[in-house]
Amino acid sequence: MSDLVDELLAGKHGALARVITKIENRSPGYREVVSALHEHTGHAEVIGVTGSPGAGKSTLVDKVAARLRDDGHTVGVIAIDPSSPYSGGAVLGDRIRMASNAGDMDVFFRSMSARGSLGGLSTATTDAVTALDAFGKDYVIVETVGAGQNEVDIVRTADTVAVLVPPGSGDDVQMLKAGILEIGDVFVVNKADLEGADRTVQQLREMLQGRSTAGHHGVSGTEMAEVTGTPTEKGAPDETEAWEPPIVETVANRGEGVGAFLAALEDHGEYLDRTGGREQQARDRFAAAIRTLLREDANRLLAAELDRQGGIESAVDTVMARETDPYTVVDEILAPLRACLDEE
Amino acid sequence: MSVEQQDERTIRCLVAKVGLDGHDRGAHVIARALRDAGFEVIYSGLHRSPDEVVQAAVQEDVDVVGISILSGAHKTLVPRILDGLREYDAFDDRLVLVGGIVPDDDQPELRDLGVDEIFGPGASMAEMIQYIREQAPER
């Protein structure tokens, strides 16, 4: 087990790949591996890329990765695709777009399926980012379709979130209202050579002006000032600058606008460093991770306890027969736990 | 809980089109059939070089490397993929399958090099899926 960790830290691609497999499968021992890797993390710049299907995420990520490689950086990419809810199978096709990085092992590209494990996917993604960070990747890009809370949770693992919008009838922009608008740090109108692109940019701009000043991580000025205590902000949290998300136009398949996009990402990175937002985001992420793990583990313990006390079916039987009620059932199951806690 | 435990691991397969062969209908059919069998399929797209196939097989940590060749260049392309897999210690715990047109005379040579099975035009999908289920290496 620790062999795998050692090999990953020594830069073996196969070990990194196997660790991510363990994370995905939640194989025995994956927790110990992720735990061991944690102390080696904190160096990668994590970028989330989301947007509707066909917006051009994979193509843009490919070009961005190639540009970062030209600048001498190493890159990890996690591309998440929805899986078939019926068979559990999936065709993961994002690799098709990785043409610019063909055969370059220093772009580590990994496809992950959602595997229908609601909620668990964001944990798996966070852990996979941990593995790539510990491996020593300078940049980690997390790419996923922007459709729903699950995806929103996933991109929250990123320092900077880019939302891709294809030019269109305006319906796409309307759709963004449902949660996506709030999480974008940088907006990209891709396929900007298509008709309607200008209008889409215009609509986006209008909607962003109506956006609340709080960042997507809900970082208020006061919190940031407390954490950083930077001299310029002393006792005047109101002066904390707010981030105005830029709108970048790209034509990803021709590589146009990729430089501007990278510059926008860099601007946001500098903004995070300047305001202490990066540290606050990391704190928020770890707090969320601890809460999620606590909830999952506690749930597992409680499920086992429920089984020990006769199982859910027999509990339901008694409730059905009106011998007892759901509240009383839960009180009884939790009684030993409560007793333990009271002893403290 | 809604989150089901994944006792059975998901088998991951790479379906790779390699070389100057533009015929991918067969690969698409296979990719879909493997998906419907509950596997995770990574599809490479057309015209991949052996290096790219190796890169994908290593990074995606697939259990099965499926190489589709209809061009007749299997004797040059397949050995390069096998060498690349060995270079990254990614050969022993992976099934390597070749699908497409491979003349009978060439098959022993490919098997000697390390190809686990060859599926020609007559092979059924059920046969291939069953083979993968039975032969996918334990890890």
Side-chain angles (χ1 to χ4, degrees), chain B residues 6 8 11 17 27 38 40-41 45 62 67 74-75 79-80 93 96 103 107 109 132 136:
Chain B
Q6 292 173 342
E8 200 176 315
I11 294 177
K17 285 298 302 182
E40 276 178 15
V41 182
V62 290
I67 308 163
H74 47 269
K75 281 170 85 172
R80 282 165 61 190
D93 55 1
V96 179
Q107 297 202 2
E109 191 185 327
I132 292 172

Side-chain angles (χ1 to χ4, degrees), chain A:
Chain A
M1 184 56 52
S2 60
D3 284 356
L4 202 53
V5 172
D6 290 342
E7 286 180 11
L8 183 151
L9 294 173
K12 277 196 73 176
H13 295 92
L16 172 58
R18 188 56 49 88
V19 165
I20 297 178
T21 304
K22 278 185 166 296
I23 287 167
E24 271 200 288
N25 289 340
R26 307 203 160 188
S27 314
Y30 93 93
R31 297 171 73 115
E32 287 75 11
V33 170
V34 179
S35 302
L37 292 176
H38 178 76
E39 63 173 303
H40 302 279
T41 60
H43 310 291
E45 180 89 30
V46 185
I47 298 160
V49 177
T50 185
S52 48
K57 297 178 294 294
S58 302
T59 307
L60 184 65
V61 166
D62 177 49
K63 302 291 184 203
V64 166
R67 189 68 68 95
L68 289 169
R69 289 291 295 135
D70 286 345
D71 294 342
H73 302 295
T74 56
V75 185
V77 180
I78 301 167
I80 297 153
D81 254 0
S83 66
S84 156
Y86 299 107
S87 66
V91 175
L92 308 172
D94 289 317
R95 254 201 124 84
I96 298 172
R97 314 275 175 239
M98 286 302 289
S100 307
N101 300 284
D104 178 3
M105 270 295 193
D106 285 325
V107 176
F108 191 100
F109 186 101
R110 181 60 176 250
S111 317
M112 275 169 70
S113 83
R115 291 197 188 172
S117 55
L118 283 168
L121 186 59
S122 56
T123 307
T125 310
T126 310
D127 291 344
V129 170
T130 299
L132 287 163
D133 190 348
F135 187 80
K137 293 296 180 194
D138 301 320
Y139 286 83
V140 176
I141 304 173
V142 178
E143 175 203 327
T144 184
V145 286
Q149 187 60 41
N150 214 4
E151 279 70 22
V152 171
D153 285 344
I154 290 162
V155 294
R156 271 175 203 251
T157 58
D159 301 313
T160 298
V161 175
V163 175
L164 261 72
V165 189
S169 58
D171 291 352
D172 295 314
V173 178
Q174 290 299 317
M175 185 206 76
L176 291 177
K177 277 181 180 169
I180 297 286
L181 199 67
E182 290 80 359
I183 64 168
D185 300 308
V186 174
F187 287 83
V188 181
V189 175
N190 190 33
K191 307 184 185 183
D193 54 338
L194 292 187
E195 205 178 326
D198 292 345
R199 200 165 149 248
T200 303
V201 171
Q202 188 58 38
Q203 284 175 327
L204 254 182
R205 191 159 288 143
E206 282 164 17
M207 292 188 71
L208 286 172
Q209 277 166 0
R211 189 170 104 149
S212 80
T213 47
H216 70 268
H217 297 279
V219 180
S220 78
T222 11
E223 278 169 357
M224 284 191 294
E226 274 166 14
V227 172
T228 59
T230 30
T232 49
E233 291 173 359
K234 47 181 183 244
D238 292 345
E239 287 170 20
T240 308
E241 63 177 294
W243 173 254
E244 306 238 339
I247 302 169
V248 184
E249 293 179 60
T250 58
V251 185
N253 60 353
R254 295 207 298 261
E256 289 170 23
V258 173
F261 176 55
L262 274 170
L265 296 178
E266 203 172 311
D267 282 349
H268 187 256
E270 283 168 8
Y271 161 81
L272 289 177
D273 290 332
R274 198 163 57 233
T275 57
R278 192 185 297 277
E279 188 179 327
Q280 187 58 45
Q281 284 187 9
R283 293 189 69 90
D284 291 349
R285 266 200 300 276
F286 288 137
I290 292 167
R291 285 200 187 94
T292 304
L293 285 176
L294 195 56
R295 199 165 46 232
E296 285 178 4
D297 288 4
N299 269 333
R300 208 166 300 131
L301 285 176
L302 292 174
E305 179 60 21
L306 178 61
D307 284 343
R308 262 196 300 278
Q309 299 195 18
I312 187 81
E313 287 305 325
S314 78
V316 170
D317 286 345
T318 54
V319 173
M320 286 292 283
R322 301 297 186 275
E323 290 165 15
T324 181
D325 64 288
Y327 284 102
T328 308
V329 168
V330 170
D331 277 345
E332 282 168 12
I333 293 168
L334 289 181
L337 177 66
R338 237 178 240 122
C340 280
L341 292 176
D342 285 345
E343 276 174 29
E344 288 290 316

